[in-house]
Amino acid sequence: MRNAEPVQPSAESADDLAELARQVLAGDAKAMRAFLATAAVPMLSVVRRVLGSGNPEAEDVLQEALIGLLDALPRFRGESRAVHFANRVALFTAMAARRRWRTRTRWIEDHGLDVSDVTDVTDPDASLSPLEATIANRRRQALRRVLDDLPTKSAEVLAMHFVLGYRVEEIAAALGVPVNTVWSRLRVGKEACLRRIEKDAQFTDDLARRKG
Amino acid sequence: MNISCPQALLGVRRTGQLSSEEAALLEDHLQSCTTCALWESLHDDFAKGGRPQAADEQLIANAVEGAFSARTGRAPRTRRSWTLAAAAGLALAITGGLASAGIWIYRATHNTPTAPTAAPDRPTTRKIQSQPRAPEAATPEATPAKIAVPVAEQLTVAPAARASARERAVHRRVGAAEAQPAETPLDLATLFASANEARRAGQAERAGELYVELQRRFPESRESLLSLVSYGRILLDRGQPEQALAQFERHIKAASGGVLVADALYGKARALTALHREADARRCWNELLSRFPDSIYADTARAQLGQGPGAKP
């Protein structure tokens, strides 16, 4: 089974990022540039997964996330790998950006246009047929919509689970909340996701065609 | 999903730590439980999505420069911007090597003199505030008319849609290039950034003009070297394979081992194919495969050579 972290650095490189983080905290401006360049690659991956891979705001959101990472760095205590810390900052920044963006564009959808549909581009994946790629896209879009609409705490848990690939115990540790709380929020999110998918008649048709 | 669904096993499965008995139990369950199968599919969907590509190197470099400038108050550095782009490309090309790229920059910056800074009144990247942006009210009618840049009319914006931050950035940068008086030539960094922005905004003609100007005025610069690949792609898309081929060949010759050589070889092979020079194209696909067997173009090269996507060269 594939791990959900797409750009998985080696243990050595993870230590390198943590070491750079320490130097940034010590006030080394040159280390800051290297730290940002190192963290930016996995963070862009997270940003794209949240916004949709064809979203033209990715660069702005990545920059905002990098600034957010620098701001959050004093709170990094080394309990997790530095790259996971950076990915969480990217996740929450992208979710917030997407909510802002959705607010602006919701009116377009009221006029029959689906902005998220046109900005989600599936990465080339030779293992998927065109139909499977379409279905995968629809599943991603359904989850993103749910993330837009859910209460923030449930949305964060749902996103950490599916977008970052965290297990429940890992989410609980990262957020500092009991495991049962995570299960509860995750259940709320999953139920909302199921409702969204069930409402998508086209998605259901695609599934039926695939099964057929 | 119901109470009997082995949800904990689903999480452990992704770590590869299930026993064979547990794995078999879970497989049986996934065959019969469409809801759990859906969650597994969602995990896979997001694991596959969003991977940065080689073409993202400039985007990453821009974001890094913007964040660095916003935090330090320093103007972005032209040469360093190229270095960051190269490092990002390197990190993208080598899975697991992203930190090495950053470390390389760090060590390089500690051992080499700093590059001259760009003129502070003409930064190559925009700065944004570190504070989260306040939620913007849904006033779609407000923005397009407020974008007072010369290029605004040329970009297609939905009549009542609010322009995205990305669009505004494109307007600013490309607009800055167009607004320059003829007697005030753009500096190298601005020229390169403007050309890239125009290309990404789909303004191929404008991007081509800027790349040509860049190559003419700064022929020895690293930006000029990179622009050969970008402009080559534009020419290829425009149906000018002969001119595109010249761009790609110049890059391959000048950049002995740069991050875009694989891209240039890929473009060269496509240009040769378009020119019906099949034997030359075949040699080029072979060179691409032998020099960059793990590049994102390797499967295409194998397919072109009739070796099948999974075959080794």
Side-chain angles (χ1 to χ4, degrees), chain A residues 74-88:
Chain A
R75 298 196 295 275
F76 177 58
R77 300 282 178 242
E79 291 94 346
S80 66
R81 291 166 62 187
V83 69
H84 288 174
F85 183 77
N87 282 349
R88 287 199 295 276

Side-chain angles (χ1 to χ4, degrees), chain A residues 111-130:
Chain A
H111 292 77
L113 298 171
D114 188 337
V115 177
S116 64
D117 278 348
V118 300
T119 56
D120 192 28
V121 179
T122 307
D123 292 334
D125 187 341
S127 69
L128 295 182
S129 71

Side-chain angles (χ1 to χ4, degrees), chain A residues 54-127:
Chain A
N55 193 303
E57 294 199 51
E59 182 179 320
D60 282 359
V61 174
L62 176 61
Q63 181 175 317
E64 187 179 343
L66 288 170
I67 293 171
L69 176 61
L70 291 175
D71 289 343
L73 210 49
R75 298 196 295 275
F76 177 58
R77 300 282 178 242
E79 291 94 346
S80 66
R81 291 166 62 187
V83 69
H84 288 174
F85 183 77
N87 282 349
R88 287 199 295 276
V89 172
L91 178 76
F92 298 145
T93 306
M95 287 173 66
R98 190 178 158 86
R99 286 184 182 226
R100 290 195 304 267
W101 179 62
R102 289 275 297 161
T103 303
R104 294 202 306 264
T105 56
R106 201 179 294 272
W107 74 272
I108 296 180
E109 294 174 349
D110 292 343
H111 292 77
L113 298 171
D114 188 337
V115 177
S116 64
D117 278 348
V118 300
T119 56
D120 192 28
V121 179
T122 307
D123 292 334
D125 187 341
S127 69

Side-chain angles (χ1 to χ4, degrees), chain A residues 1-10 12-14 16-17 19-20 23 28-42 44-46 48-50 53 56-64 66-68 70-71 83 97 100-101 103-105 107-108 121 123-128 132 135-137 139-141 143-144 147 161-167 169-170 183 186-187 189-191 193-194 197 203 207 210-211, chain B residues 1 7-8 10-17 34-35 38-53 56 58-60 62-68 70-72 74-77 80-81 84 87-88 91-92 95-103 105-107 109-110 112 114 125-138 140 158-169 172-173 197 200 299:
Chain A
M1 177 61 63
R2 188 193 299 261
N3 191 307
E5 296 290 346
V7 183
Q8 195 68 261
S10 64
E12 183 184 355
S13 65
D16 284 344
L17 187 60
E19 174 57 29
L20 284 170
Q23 293 173 16
D28 185 338
K30 289 179 180 174
M32 183 190 293
R33 197 187 289 268
F35 173 74
L36 292 171
T38 303
V41 176
L44 175 61
S45 177
V46 174
R48 284 246 169 87
R49 277 182 270 167
V50 175
S53 56
E57 294 199 51
E59 182 179 320
D60 282 359
V61 174
L62 176 61
Q63 181 175 317
E64 187 179 343
L66 288 170
I67 293 171
L70 291 175
D71 289 343
V83 69
R100 290 195 304 267
W101 179 62
T103 303
R104 294 202 306 264
T105 56
W107 74 272
I108 296 180
V121 179
D123 292 334
D125 187 341
S127 69
L128 295 182
E132 287 171 331
I135 292 172
N137 249 343
R139 278 194 297 256
R140 278 193 289 262
Q141 285 166 9
L143 185 74
R144 291 187 189 116
L147 294 179
H161 186 58
F162 284 113
V163 179
L164 296 184
Y166 282 22
R167 288 184 293 132
E169 295 78 8
E170 292 168 331
W183 276 119
L186 192 57
R187 191 188 71 248
K190 283 184 168 180
E191 286 171 354
C193 197
L194 277 179
I197 288 174
F203 180 83
L207 273 181
R210 187 169 71 156
K211 286 179 178 173
Chain B
M1 186 166 55
Q7 294 182 56
L10 288 168
V12 177
R13 183 190 196 196
R14 285 185 294 281
T15 68
Q17 294 174 344
T34 54
T35 307
L38 172 65
W39 303 139
E40 283 301 280
S41 298
L42 260 175
H43 277 291
D44 279 351
D45 295 340
F46 279 96
K48 288 171 184 167
R51 284 193 187 84
Q53 307 290 320
D56 290 325
Q58 191 61 48
L59 181 157
I60 291 172
N62 288 345
V64 168
E65 280 297 319
F68 182 83
R71 268 293 154 269
T72 62
R74 299 180 189 177
R77 295 170 178 168
R80 194 63 46 79
S81 177
L84 286 168
L92 293 168
T95 303
L98 61 109
S100 302
I103 292 295
I105 302 170
Y106 176 64
R107 290 175 182 157
T109 55
H110 278 67
T112 56
T114 53
T125 54
R126 71 216 171 282
K127 298 176 183 177
I128 62 176
Q129 298 302 313
S130 59
Q131 293 80 9
R133 285 177 276 188
E136 291 167 328
R162 188 178 179 86
S164 69
R166 177 73 179 156
E167 286 169 335
R168 291 195 295 275
R172 282 196 299 273
R173 198 170 293 175
E197 289 288 5
R200 285 197 289 268
D299 281 347

Side-chain angles (χ1 to χ4, degrees), chain B residues 246-308:
Chain B
Q247 296 280 317
F248 293 130
E249 286 184 327
R250 280 173 60 197
H251 180 90
I252 294 164
K253 186 177 178 184
S256 55
V259 292
L260 292 184
V261 171
D263 297 72
L265 283 169
Y266 175 71
K268 178 182 174 182
R270 287 176 58 211
L272 288 167
T273 302
L275 291 167
H276 306 293
R277 291 167 55 182
E278 306 300 346
D280 290 334
R282 194 171 176 79
R283 271 192 290 277
C284 191
W285 288 121
N286 267 319
E287 184 183 354
L288 173 59
L289 211 44
S290 62
R291 291 179 63 180
F292 303 98
D294 299 319
S295 80
I296 58 172
Y297 306 115
D299 281 347
T300 304
R302 290 190 188 100
Q304 292 292 325
L305 292 168
Q307 297 178 4

